[in-house]
Amino acid sequence: MSTTDWLKPLEHILNCPVHAVSKSIAEWNDLISNADEVWLGDNTVSSPIEGQRVEKASKTWIVISSSDYEVDLLELEGSSLQATEKELISWTLRLNRGTLAEKKSAALSETERQALKLGDWIQKQLESDEPAYSLPDHLTVGSRLFNEMIPFLLVTEQQGTQQATYSGLEKLLRSFMSDDILLIPLKSQEWLIWGSISLLRDEDSDAFDEQEEESLEESLASIGLGLHEMLASEWIGECHLAVAHPTSPAKGMIETTMLLRETINLGRKFHVGTNIHLPWMLQLERLLNSIPEAQRAKYLEQSLKRADLFVESEMLSTLDTFFTLDCNVSETAKKLYIHRNTLLYRLDKLKQETGLDVRQFRDAVLVKIILLLYKVTKRN
């Protein structure tokens, strides 16, 4: 019997909502650290085992099974649950200790087992003070990982829900990216994806090697857009996706993962509402993020003293569109559905009140920096 088969009967018996959720080992440890009550049984080792309980406010989490990288939990919602009810569930799960994990392991394909090993190794390197940047020989699986591939990082948005299975996501990716993919689970809501470099090649052309870097980046952005649309509509809903330049997984696994994580963090921090994040489009954001927060706040405070016009929603929207369209007045007016003269009036108003003319390169750079700092400081 699968986990989902007995959720509804258990929910009926307890008369409270019951969900099956997955969390990373780090998230489980955070739950323990911040819990109101913790029951770990006789377990003296750090890894979670069946039946362990964590309680916070009106929620209780009980371990169903665990692996090296994540924990499957029962999430019970309700403050009226009796202590004996929780103990009975823990006791039942302890009786089946290892059974669910063994069945789960037996059902894994060789591809998924290898992916789990890769994910575990990557996590350990990312947490290490001195990470190894090249894959060890036993994880390279022949010569495949020495070929150039396109790296993507996928982060799902929905917390507290059962994540899609490895095989389900892999099947979707193969339908979009052909069979030559590598899917690696990292955290419970984070997946590293390597796609074939053939995605960049025009089937009717052998001119890939002659393409300029700009066209390569445009192609990567287009692939990312298509992949995100497919995943958002057919898989898990809201999600974030980052893509980087092709590289060899065997030699660039750790550095690429670090870059993609940073890219998604910067994108979510500076561009709320954007779901596709490209590292070559976030270089200014990376520079601003490296400045201490106190200094960023001080510069912003001094800049905004010159005018509150920057923070008006209409002006924010106008400037965002203006910069997105490379400071093209005609295209910006068309995108905003306003007359060209209306746009010029807004830009002239900004110039009169701040002394900054965004039609001039130097002033445009300053205003762009002010806008980025305002957005991230306002959310903080």
Side-chain angles (χ1 to χ4, degrees):
M1 181 182 291
S2 68
T3 303
T4 52
D5 292 335
W6 47 267
L7 286 181
K8 285 297 181 184
L10 182 61
E11 191 173 84
H12 178 72
I13 293 170
L14 298 175
N15 193 29
C16 74
V18 179
H19 308 285
V21 301
S22 296
K23 294 186 180 294
S24 68
I25 296 295
E27 290 169 331
W28 167 249
N29 291 332
D30 286 343
L31 276 180
I32 293 176
S33 300
N34 300 314
D36 296 331
E37 290 188 41
V38 177
W39 187 85
L40 302 178
D42 299 326
N43 184 32
T44 57
V45 296
S46 57
S47 57
I49 60 172
E50 292 85 344
Q52 291 182 332
R53 293 193 309 276
V54 169
E55 299 179 31
K56 177 72 174 179
S58 60
K59 285 189 177 182
T60 301
W61 293 271
I62 306 179
V63 177
I64 301 173
S65 63
S66 67
S67 66
D68 290 337
Y69 77 104
E70 72 175 2
V71 190
D72 294 328
L73 302 164
L74 273 183
E75 184 179 84
L76 313 175
E77 299 182 30
S79 55
S80 60
L81 284 173
Q82 301 296 315
T84 52
E85 293 174 323
K86 300 171 188 175
E87 290 173 3
L88 181 60
I89 297 172
S90 290
W91 175 75
T92 304
L93 289 169
R94 289 201 309 278
L95 284 181
N96 292 321
R97 178 176 298 172
T99 303
L100 293 173
E102 288 172 8
K103 288 182 178 179
K104 187 174 180 180
S105 176
L108 297 181
S109 65
E110 183 59 35
T111 301
E112 185 171 357
R113 286 196 186 92
Q114 185 66 23
L116 289 173
K117 291 178 183 178
L118 277 169
D120 183 56
W121 181 82
I122 292 170
Q123 284 293 109
K124 288 179 180 176
Q125 303 313 309
L126 293 175
E127 294 167 2
S128 172
D129 294 332
E130 297 182 1
Y133 288 98
S134 296
L135 281 173
D137 292 340
H138 72 279
L139 291 178
T140 54
V141 194
S143 62
R144 178 190 178 199
L145 298 185
F146 289 96
N147 299 325
E148 278 201 337
M149 301 182 78
I150 305 172
F152 304 85
L153 186 66
L154 172 67
V155 177
T156 65
E157 280 281 81
Q158 301 187 13
Q159 299 279 349
T161 59
Q162 182 69 36
Q163 298 301 305
T165 62
Y166 180 95
S167 59
L169 178 55
E170 185 183 41
K171 183 178 179 181
L172 270 179
L173 292 171
R174 289 187 187 282
S175 70
F176 181 87
M177 306 170 72
S178 79
D179 288 339
D180 190 15
I181 67 159
L182 174 62
L183 175 63
I184 304 173
L186 297 178
K187 296 180 180 178
S188 63
Q189 293 179 285
E190 186 181 47
W191 305 80
L192 182 62
I193 304 164
W194 293 86
S196 171
I197 200 169
S198 64
L199 290 167
L200 291 168
R201 295 191 178 99
D202 186 341
E203 293 181 359
D204 300 321
S205 172
D206 294 324
F208 170 73
D209 293 333
E210 300 175 4
Q211 291 180 347
E212 298 177 357
E213 185 175 6
E214 182 180 3
S215 64
L216 167 62
E217 292 173 347
E218 289 174 350
S219 297
L220 290 172
S222 178
I223 294 168
L225 176 62
L227 179 57
H228 176 267
E229 288 179 349
M230 185 273 291
L231 291 170
S233 61
E234 308 237 356
W235 183 48
I236 198 64
E238 199 67 27
C239 57
H240 289 266
L241 186 73
V243 56
H245 290 118
T247 189
S248 161
K251 297 181 180 179
M253 187 75 74
I254 300 302
E255 290 175 305
T256 300
T257 304
M258 292 169 67
L259 171 65
L260 292 173
R261 275 187 174 176
E262 180 192 36
T263 297
I264 287 185
N265 289 335
L266 288 172
R268 297 175 77 166
K269 186 174 184 178
F270 286 93
H271 299 287
V272 172
T274 301
N275 296 85
I276 302 169
H277 310 286
L278 310 171
W280 53 88
M281 297 295 291
L282 295 169
Q283 295 184 18
L284 180 57
E285 288 83 347
R286 184 174 292 109
L287 176 62
L288 295 178
N289 197 57
S290 67
I291 301 173
E293 185 174 347
Q295 292 185 25
R296 297 201 307 260
K298 182 178 180 181
Y299 176 77
L300 181 63
E301 181 182 0
Q302 292 171 344
S303 300
L304 290 181
K305 279 180 180 178
R306 300 170 68 177
D308 292 333
L309 188 60
F310 286 116
V311 301
E312 292 180 2
S313 59
E314 183 182 79
M315 184 58 71
L316 282 174
S317 174
T318 299
L319 292 172
D320 277 339
T321 307
F322 185 68
F323 290 133
T324 300
L325 297 173
D326 296 325
C327 303
N328 187 304
V329 172
S330 299
E331 291 299 320
T332 301
K334 188 183 300 184
K335 182 75 172 180
L336 293 173
Y337 300 102
I338 60 177
H339 194 277
R340 176 187 171 93
N341 289 344
T342 303
L343 174 60
L344 292 175
Y345 168 77
R346 293 180 186 175
L347 300 183
D348 285 337
K349 183 180 178 182
L350 179 71
K351 180 181 178 181
Q352 290 170 8
E353 297 200 20
T354 67
L356 297 172
D357 185 355
V358 291
R359 286 161 292 190
Q360 302 296 320
F361 175 76
R362 179 179 178 279
D363 289 352
V365 171
L366 290 175
V367 172
K368 177 67 174 178
I369 290 173
I370 291 169
L371 287 181
L372 288 172
L373 292 180
Y374 170 72
K375 289 177 182 179
V376 72
T377 303
K378 179 182 177 184
R379 284 191 292 276
N380 288 343

